[in-house]
């Protein structure tokens, strides 16, 4: 299986071997772009996953108000995958973020990728801050969702945009 990258990635590191192309049950959705799967991680009973390349509006960030369309994004991710089995796809060599969350593309049972569906349906932004293989695809999905005024793009105010995006 060649996956989202169009080529078979080479295994690198313990996380890659342990999680890549493996299926897990989603036991908790933190918010639109963060979830937990049923695999212990160190002393934690579950592994926290941060979706590669997508940023959804915050709902639970410390010292930040709930952002425009954050509850809708979290509800979408909950409906889409909580309690369901998903398959993780990791990048060789870059498996954790600075908060030690596992970085992954989350493959759904129907073959879709949660990361891209969040962007395609207007629940989140294509995060331009970090390079990854699907970055150009995600930016194109965002442009289409924005043009069609889907989801958060329907009534977005300039002040709702993340700091890293221009109008």
């Amino acid at each position: 299986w060649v996956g989202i990258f169009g080529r078979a990635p080479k295994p690198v590191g313990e996380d890659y071997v342990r999680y890549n192309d493996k299926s897990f049950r989603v036991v908790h959705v933190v918010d639109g772009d963060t979830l937990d799967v049923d695999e212990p991680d160190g002393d934690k009973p579950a592994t926290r996953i941060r979706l590669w390349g997508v940023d959804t509006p915050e709902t639970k960030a410390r010292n930040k108000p709930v952002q425009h369309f954050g509850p809708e994004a979290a509800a979408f991710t909950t409906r889409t995958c909580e309690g369901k089995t998903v398959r993780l796809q990791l990048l060789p060599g870059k498996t954790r973020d600075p908060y030690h969350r596992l970085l992954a593309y989350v493959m759904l049972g129907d073959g879709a990728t949660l990361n891209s569906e969040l962007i395609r349906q207007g629940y989140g932004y294509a995060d331009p801050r970090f390079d990854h293989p699907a970055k150009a695809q995600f930016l194109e999905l965002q442009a289409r969702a924005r043009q069609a005024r889907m989801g958060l793009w329907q009534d977005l105010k300039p002040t709702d945009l993340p700091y890293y995006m221009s109008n």
Side-chain angles (χ1 to χ4, degrees):
W1 181 72
V2 294
I4 197 168
F5 312 117
R7 67 189 189 294
K10 294 181 179 158
V12 177
E14 184 180 324
D15 281 341
Y16 191 91
V17 171
R18 183 174 176 198
Y19 295 100
N20 187 60
D21 207 25
K22 304 243 178 15
S23 295
F24 303 95
R25 190 171 58 83
V26 176
V27 294
H28 176 67
V29 171
V30 178
D31 63 12
D33 57 28
T34 308
L35 51 90
D36 295 335
V37 296
D38 66 344
E39 176 69 18
D41 188 23
D43 61 350
K44 297 181 175 98
T47 299
R48 181 136 302 167
I49 308 297
R50 175 63 169 85
L51 302 179
W52 257 118
V54 62
D55 186 28
T56 61
E58 298 296 337
T59 59
K60 296 182 180 174
R62 280 191 202 137
N63 303 319
K64 286 187 182 178
V66 172
Q67 294 177 328
H68 169 71
F69 228 74
E72 292 86 345
F76 175 81
T77 299
T78 300
R79 273 193 319 274
T80 303
C81 63
E82 192 167 69
K84 297 176 184 167
T85 298
V86 298
R87 189 169 32 87
L88 303 180
Q89 193 166 38
L90 278 59
L91 296 180
K94 179 66 173 163
T95 59
R96 300 276 176 163
D97 73 2
Y99 304 103
H100 307 292
R101 299 174 295 190
L102 193 70
L103 294 166
Y105 296 103
V106 173
M107 313 306 280
L108 304 171
D110 64 0
T113 306
L114 176 61
N115 313 48
S116 60
E117 286 302 303
L118 282 160
I119 298 165
R120 186 179 72 78
Q121 296 187 41
Y123 289 104
Y125 306 99
D127 192 335
R129 297 174 292 176
F130 311 101
D131 285 329
H132 61 95
K135 185 175 182 177
Q137 173 195 7
F138 287 5
L139 289 168
E140 176 61 28
L141 290 171
Q142 176 177 280
R144 285 190 220 149
R146 190 174 192 169
Q147 183 176 18
R149 300 178 52 81
M150 299 204 44
L152 61 79
W153 300 106
Q154 186 174 12
D155 57 356
L156 185 79
K157 296 189 276 307
T159 55
D160 294 330
L161 285 169
Y163 74 89
Y164 54 80
M165 289 187 68
S166 62
N167 295 334

